[in-house]
Amino acid sequence: MSSVKLKLMVLCFVIAGSSMSFAKTKNDNLNQLNQNVTKVNEKNIKSEIAENTDESTLEEKTQEKDDNKNDDLEVDGNSEEQSVTKYSQRNDGIIDINALEHKETPDYRIENGSKTRIILKTKNNDIYSAEVMFDGQKQMMRGIGNYSGKEIFVAEIPNVPTSYYFKLTDAKTKYYYGRNTTKDESAVQKFQYTKSKKLTSIPNWARGSVGYQIYIDSFRNGNVDNDPIFNEFGTGIFSEPTGELRSGRSKKELVLAYWGGDDKPEFTLSEWDSNYEDKNDWEENVLNGVQNYTRYYGGDLEGIEEKLDYLKDLGVEYIILSSPFYSLSNHKYDTIYFNHVDPYFGSIEQTGTIKALDIKGKVHNENGDMELNLLTYNPETDKNLLDESLLDTKTWVWTDSDLQLASLLKKAHAKGLRVVIEVAPDTTSNKFFARNGGKYSNWYLKDTVLDLSNPQVRNYIENSLKKWVLGPDETFKKNVYDDGIDGIRYVYYDDKNKEYIADITENLKKYKPDLLITGEFSNSFTKDIEEGVYDSGADYNIVNNVIKYMVNNNINYKIGDVEFASKLNEIYNKYANERFNATQVFFDSLDTDRIFSGIINPNRVYDRNNQSNQGYLNIRPDIYDPSAISKLKKIIGVHLTLPATPVIYYGDEKGMWGADSPRNRKPMLWDDYAPYENETDQITKYSIDNLRKLSNEIQIDEVQKKISYPVKSNPEIENYYKSLLAIRKKHRELFRNGTFRVLEVYGDPKMKSRTDADINQYLSEEKRKAQTYRNLTINPEWPNLDFLSYEISSGNESMIVVVNNSSSSYPVFLQVPKLFGFYKNELNPKENYSISDRKIKLTLKPNEVKVLYSNDKNMFDSFKKKN
């Protein structure tokens, strides 16, 4: 199975923060700014849509937008009244009814505890007020932002079955908007709403926690005796393996199979510390371009066990394991058995130990048994050599590799770490037992995608996952020493199977109430959550917009601070509060380029044009750009200070780099494996001017057309991760239960005017001091101003994150939501800021992120305004 590529289809609109969210006319400053931005962006709208949408669906999306306009409008009054002005104005008595937008879908109705959040879009700056009318009651809606000519309104109503419609007012003009639009309230056709019966509950431990995604084969080799002896190409293209295990058994005895003969190369692991671009002998003989995808490094579960203390000390709270199930590929998402761990991750030659586990079921882990052979399926007997009938769970056994996973789980739990496994629940290898046809001929939807509408298929998948949820003791224990998994992450599934995956999710949660089940990015993300497919999922919209704002510099790919802040709020508000706190936020993964490398490869749409053969620069980023580390720390600062569930991709904390798969799956940088060989990249990717600027660490080979550079971890980056994770641990409840809002952005006209005046005064004072005290005449340069602030708050607790998206240093008078008291910088305890007139003065260094915290009870929220 090829890697699951993330298809980002983002329909972005603005939901601005509270400082930009004053009801009715209070957001006029941003409205004017939005009009200016809209003028600039009108010519780029098509490219913006194409950037965030698959090109093949662009025409379909455009047609869908047209089709969704109100076709059955009931409009009173003359046609002159309906003409739309070029720029809308409040209180002009004209409402553009064609711009009204609300749908009876989870994107516009978000269940939020005992309330339901209702979202309405209108033309920007078009109406004076909007009200939700429901069950004889009404609720004034708050204007919470604007973007691309649209204004967003929101209100929350009781979460009960109801019907509702909107009352829109501008001057003396009133409209009633439901399934139709009319001036006659008695004629409005109401929207209908019924509460979801499938919505899952989110485990408390998962909210605001920090995850760490491990690609097992590349993380750490803890047991050389399970090192792979062939790959997904099978044994036929390789000669017999040489050498022996520590037990003395010859490697060629580990599997009964046909080998290709002496004229074929032997399959070998790629050396952990070798240049990634170097090929093994066997790789020279396989299909062009696939060798790196099919190599193995030998990482395994024992290697993860060895580094549990490292992960705990780093500050993560749970780990996500790439699929551990039996498959011949290195990624294992195309499984052969869902109910068995791959021997390459556990034991090829069984040990006979039970690893101090309480085992209630059958065990087959006889000392010396060859596990690859035991997993061989015989279609004539409909069993494997473990004597398992795959449809009868009573015949299932725990292999040595299975017990290795259970042992890892128990040891992780003893250290306070939880474990989530990834699985593609309906995707198999072509060697899956049901691929043999016969009585399994109706098991597949297509190719290697299972049909979960078939009860036999669904039961096999559910029972397999149940095995890992309950563990070998077949019991859920409410303590950290449980031997079952804590969560499942569905990484891929066919749309036709979602209904049945929701049933599996519901049943698995009955076995373990605090089980976390998450999903990958979906085009109907909120709908999948409401229908119970998973609790929450991975949202890549945040990193997509971080790159647009913090990395890209070309106007066709870049967004400004107002747009970035607005999109952050839009993403936050499309979830219920507790579901955002459990949303997994990846900034890179095993299916994208590394975020560190993304910094020196700007002006791309996220996760596109990021392969090495597409001109992507593979060089270690800090060698190429001396400011790359500070830029990365800025991005990390945002990633780890959102009240969501940030997931760190293994090695990011070490400063690992690389293009999209397979170069994003390079071996983890461990100090005890150092030194690593130099890595290489094609010289043709780099201009002569760039080459001249590179440091002395770079070696240039003009004959081979390659550059060579050192491979090593970066302690500055790792320490920064530890500092931010320590802050999250210290304020665990705030990140678990806090609410998020943007406070200020420099691009807001009011903020810009105030800041510019402050900077002008500051520069004048610097000029005066130079003249007075040093007798120097200077003309200080105007700094590049680009910053924003956002807050996470709960009760008296207030954490303000200030992000300087600029290479300049400058002072800022930051407005804060407390009347008086102090904030301190959690990243630098020596920095304490006294509040004066609801402001604090601070100086931002280039690319700096400040994390300010206050628990003073003297709260006066200067950002909230009454309707």
Side-chain angles (χ1 to χ4, degrees):
M1 182 189 76
S2 61
S3 301
V4 181
K5 297 304 299 173
L6 309 174
K7 302 298 183 182
L8 300 176
M9 300 177 66
V10 187
L11 300 178
C12 292
F13 58 88
V14 168
I15 296 186
S18 295
S19 69
M20 300 184 284
S21 307
F22 306 155
K24 299 178 184 175
T25 61
K26 295 294 193 290
N27 56 1
D28 288 344
N29 284 334
L30 275 184
N31 292 337
Q32 180 169 349
L33 175 65
N34 182 71
Q35 291 172 1
N36 295 335
V37 172
T38 301
K39 292 178 184 178
V40 175
N41 287 340
E42 278 177 349
K43 63 180 180 181
N44 293 322
I45 285 178
K46 185 172 182 179
S47 62
E48 171 79 13
I49 296 173
E51 178 181 326
N52 294 310
T53 310
D54 286 342
E55 292 179 5
S56 60
T57 61
L58 178 58
E59 183 176 346
E60 178 183 343
K61 293 289 179 183
T62 304
Q63 183 62 46
E64 179 182 344
K65 182 178 178 182
D66 292 338
D67 292 343
N68 285 335
K69 290 181 179 179
N70 295 295
D71 295 326
D72 57 344
L73 299 177
E74 289 187 37
V75 180
D76 295 341
N78 55 46
S79 59
E80 182 179 352
E81 182 179 332
Q82 296 309 310
S83 63
V84 181
T85 56
K86 185 175 182 181
Y87 295 109
S88 301
Q89 295 181 7
R90 299 194 200 280
N91 283 323
D92 62 1
I94 300 174
I95 298 176
D96 185 356
I97 59 176
N98 292 307
L100 301 179
E101 188 174 338
H102 176 80
K103 298 177 183 178
E104 296 168 289
T105 69
D107 288 320
Y108 292 80
R109 298 187 305 209
I110 299 96
E111 293 192 23
N112 190 24
S114 62
K115 301 285 187 178
T116 293
R117 185 177 299 142
I118 303 293
I119 292 176
L120 168 71
K121 301 180 186 179
T122 72
K123 190 174 183 179
N124 184 34
N125 204 31
D126 192 40
I127 66 173
Y128 180 76
S129 67
E131 298 171 274
V132 183
M133 318 296 289
F134 62 99
D135 298 341
Q137 305 176 60
K138 61 182 178 180
Q139 176 68 49
M140 182 68 72
M141 304 190 78
R142 295 182 295 115
I144 56 172
N146 52 78
Y147 179 66
S148 290
K150 289 281 188 178
E151 185 165 5
I152 317 301
F153 291 85
V154 65
E156 291 193 342
I157 63 175
N159 190 358
V160 294
T162 188
S163 57
Y164 62 96
Y165 58 97
F166 301 96
K167 178 182 178 181
L168 311 173
T169 302
D170 194 63
K172 296 182 179 180
T173 301
K174 289 182 175 61
Y175 279 101
Y176 301 93
Y177 171 47
R179 292 176 174 174
N180 63 334
T181 306
T182 176
K183 284 190 171 183
D184 182 359
E185 187 171 10
S186 64
V188 67
Q189 299 172 17
K190 301 175 183 178
F191 293 114
Q192 300 299 316
Y193 169 65
T194 302
K195 183 178 179 180
S196 170
K197 296 180 180 179
K198 283 280 192 176
L199 203 62
T200 61
S201 60
I202 296 176
N204 191 53
W205 69 263
R207 292 163 53 190
S209 57
V210 179
Y212 188 93
Q213 186 184 34
I214 292 175
Y215 191 72
I216 298 175
D217 178 59
S218 302
F219 186 68
R220 187 171 177 87
N221 190 347
N223 177 12
V224 296
D225 279 346
N226 63 12
D227 287 352
I229 56 176
F230 65 95
N231 65 6
E232 60 194 86
F233 289 120
T235 58
I237 71 166
F238 302 112
S239 63
E240 290 183 343
T242 58
E244 58 185 31
L245 306 182
R246 286 173 293 186
S247 66
R249 182 184 291 269
S250 170
K251 286 187 177 181
K252 66 182 180 181
E253 298 176 11
L254 292 173
V255 61
L256 298 176
Y258 166 78
W259 294 92
D262 293 340
D263 61 329
K264 302 291 185 182
E266 180 182 347
F267 178 81
T268 54
L269 291 184
S270 294
E271 293 295 330
W272 202 276
D273 58 359
S274 64
N275 174 16
Y276 185 83
E277 303 303 326
D278 287 346
K279 296 180 181 179
N280 293 292
D281 290 342
W282 65 266
E283 290 180 298
E284 300 288 349
N285 294 276
V286 300
L287 298 174
N288 290 334
V290 304
Q291 66 275 351
N292 293 14
Y293 291 91
T294 59
R295 60 172 53 168
Y296 273 98
Y297 283 92
D300 48 39
L301 298 176
E302 192 170 326
I304 298 171
E305 276 191 18
E306 290 179 0
K307 288 299 179 180
L308 289 176
D309 285 332
Y310 165 82
L311 295 170
K312 183 69 175 178
D313 292 343
L314 180 63
V316 301
E317 295 162 276
Y318 71 97
I319 56 178
I320 303 174
L321 301 181
S322 62
S323 180
F325 304 136
Y326 178 43
S327 169
L328 299 183
S329 68
N330 54 22
H331 56 75
K332 313 298 180 189
Y333 295 108
D334 55 342
T335 186
I336 296 176
Y337 291 115
F338 285 94
N339 60 315
H340 286 300
V341 167
D342 194 286
Y344 287 166
F345 292 162
S347 300
I348 297 180
E349 183 184 46
Q350 295 190 334
T351 64
T353 63
I354 61 173
K355 300 174 174 62
L357 295 167
D358 179 13
I359 306 172
K360 294 291 190 288
K362 296 181 180 181
V363 177
H364 190 123
N365 67 330
E366 298 296 325
N367 186 32
D369 271 7
M370 297 173 289
E371 200 162 299
L372 288 170
N373 286 337
L374 294 173
L375 293 175
T376 301
Y377 174 76
N378 185 347
E380 294 184 3
T381 62
D382 196 22
K383 293 182 178 181
N384 55 31
L385 297 187
L386 290 166
D387 201 33
E388 289 181 319
S389 173
L390 279 305
L391 301 184
D392 183 3
T393 57
K394 294 179 181 178
T395 68
W396 289 9
V397 301
W398 287 83
T399 66
D400 210 30
S401 297
D402 297 344
L403 296 176
Q404 183 69 56
L405 176 59
S407 174
L408 169 63
L409 296 170
K410 193 167 184 178
K411 291 177 180 178
H413 291 155
K415 295 181 184 297
L417 293 167
R418 297 181 184 264
V419 182
V420 173
I421 61 171
E422 294 185 323
V423 60
D426 59 3
T427 303
T428 74
S429 164
N430 56 17
K431 299 184 183 300
F432 187 66
F433 69 89
R435 293 286 291 176
N436 292 280
K439 67 178 184 179
Y440 301 115
S441 59
N442 63 342
W443 271 46
Y444 281 90
L445 277 174
K446 57 186 178 182
D447 300 327
T448 56
V449 178
L450 293 169
D451 182 2
L452 296 188
S453 69
N454 183 327
Q456 277 191 335
V457 181
R458 192 161 65 253
N459 288 338
Y460 172 69
I461 299 298
E462 182 178 317
N463 286 324
S464 295
L465 296 177
K466 177 184 175 183
K467 173 179 177 176
W468 309 116
V469 168
L470 294 182
D473 64 5
E474 299 180 355
T475 306
F476 167 50
K477 296 177 180 176
K478 294 183 178 180
N479 59 53
V480 295
Y481 302 107
D482 185 47
D483 55 8
I485 60 174
D486 303 284
I488 297 168
R489 183 168 182 260
Y490 300 138
V491 296
Y492 173 80
Y493 35 78
D494 192 278
D495 283 349
K496 294 180 181 178
N497 284 325
K498 286 185 179 180
E499 172 187 350
Y500 309 105
I501 294 175
D503 292 338
I504 292 173
T505 294
E506 182 179 11
N507 291 334
L508 291 176
K509 281 181 167 285
K510 294 175 183 177
Y511 307 129
K512 181 177 285 190
D514 71 344
L515 186 72
L516 173 70
I517 299 186
T518 65
E520 258 291 359
F521 187 90
S522 167
N523 297 333
S524 54
F525 201 60
T526 50
K527 185 173 185 290
D528 292 345
I529 291 174
E530 188 170 282
E531 293 181 351
V533 182
Y534 38 74
D535 301 326
S536 192
D539 196 321
Y540 294 88
N541 290 329
I542 293 177
V543 63
N544 183 31
N545 288 297
V546 163
I547 288 175
K548 289 179 182 178
Y549 174 52
M550 296 185 177
V551 174
N552 293 341
N553 49 44
N554 184 302
I555 191 172
N556 292 321
Y557 296 92
K558 185 174 179 59
I559 61 175
D561 53 2
V562 172
E563 188 171 340
F564 173 68
S566 299
K567 287 184 176 181
L568 269 186
N569 279 285
E570 178 266 320
I571 295 166
Y572 177 73
N573 278 278
K574 77 176 182 180
Y575 296 98
N577 291 349
E578 69 169 6
R579 293 197 187 269
F580 183 80
N581 291 47
T583 296
Q584 292 173 334
V585 179
F586 290 77
F587 271 27
D588 53 7
S589 73
L590 55 91
D591 276 322
T592 74
D593 51 327
R594 291 272 184 178
I595 189 65
F596 198 15
S597 286
I599 290 171
I600 61 169
N601 290 274
N603 302 323
R604 298 172 298 111
V605 177
Y606 177 64
D607 198 25
R608 296 190 189 177
N609 302 317
N610 57 3
Q611 289 286 359
S612 182
N613 62 4
Q614 294 174 313
Y616 195 92
L617 305 182
N618 283 315
I619 191 171
R620 204 180 85 206
D622 57 301
I623 293 176
Y624 183 81
D625 177 2
S627 66
I629 293 176
S630 67
K631 292 175 182 176
L632 177 64
K633 289 168 68 174
K634 173 179 61 180
I635 291 171
I636 297 167
V638 173
H639 188 202
L640 297 186
T641 57
L642 293 173
T645 300
V647 177
I648 302 166
Y649 184 43
Y650 84 96
D652 277 355
E653 78 281 9
K654 299 281 189 181
M656 287 182 65
W657 63 92
D660 202 347
S661 57
R663 287 170 179 79
N664 55 7
R665 307 175 188 181
K666 290 186 285 190
M668 177 73 165
L669 297 177
W670 296 115
D671 291 340
D672 58 338
Y673 286 2
Y676 288 74
E677 291 183 9
N678 276 16
E679 195 171 86
T680 55
D681 198 14
Q682 296 298 317
I683 199 172
T684 53
K685 298 178 185 177
Y686 304 84
S687 69
I688 294 177
D689 288 341
N690 284 334
L691 291 174
R692 287 173 177 168
K693 295 176 183 177
L694 297 178
S695 72
N696 293 330
E697 292 183 281
I698 304 300
Q699 300 173 18
I700 300 176
D701 186 338
E702 295 187 24
V703 176
Q704 298 295 325
K705 302 297 182 184
K706 290 183 178 180
I707 57 174
S708 175
Y709 44 90
V711 173
K712 57 185 178 181
S713 61
N714 190 295
E716 181 182 351
I717 295 172
E718 186 169 354
N719 289 334
Y720 192 65
Y721 267 99
K722 288 181 177 179
S723 296
L724 287 166
L725 292 174
I727 292 171
R728 289 191 72 101
K729 181 179 180 181
K730 179 180 178 182
H731 302 291
R732 182 71 175 85
E733 292 304 312
L734 181 60
F735 284 100
R736 174 180 288 166
N737 301 309
T739 56
F740 169 87
R741 59 176 173 169
V742 173
L743 297 180
E744 295 184 303
V745 292
Y746 172 68
D748 175 86
K750 185 176 180 180
M751 178 66 180
K752 185 178 187 304
S753 177
R754 189 178 78 238
T755 302
D756 286 353
D758 292 335
I759 295 295
N760 190 57
Q761 183 177 354
Y762 163 75
L763 296 179
S764 297
E765 182 64 11
E766 290 296 298
K767 184 176 181 179
R768 184 193 68 79
K769 288 179 181 178
Q771 182 67 49
T772 302
Y773 300 112
R774 293 183 293 163
N775 197 30
L776 293 177
T777 300
I778 63 171
N779 290 296
E781 289 187 8
W782 189 269
N784 177 24
L785 301 172
D786 186 358
F787 67 91
L788 65 101
S789 63
Y790 54 84
E791 182 194 34
I792 307 162
S793 61
S794 178
N796 293 321
E797 289 190 277
S798 171
M799 180 175 287
I800 298 176
V801 179
V802 190
V803 181
N804 182 14
N805 190 39
S806 166
S807 58
S808 297
S809 179
Y810 48 87
V812 172
F813 286 89
L814 189 73
Q815 189 172 359
V816 298
K818 290 196 173 187
L819 181 60
F820 53 86
F822 296 88
Y823 277 90
K824 69 175 181 178
N825 185 3
E826 294 285 76
L827 285 170
N828 185 353
K830 294 181 180 180
E831 292 184 13
N832 286 279
Y833 300 98
S834 175
I835 304 170
S836 175
D837 193 23
R838 303 174 195 159
K839 296 177 185 176
I840 58 176
K841 180 184 178 181
L842 49 82
T843 298
L844 294 174
K845 299 174 183 177
N847 296 312
E848 184 182 16
V849 173
K850 290 185 185 292
V851 182
L852 310 179
Y853 178 78
S854 173
N855 197 21
D856 291 334
K857 296 182 180 180
N858 303 306
M859 175 69 79
F860 183 93
D861 198 333
S862 57
F863 290 93
K864 289 185 178 179
K865 304 292 182 182
K866 300 294 183 180
N867 286 337

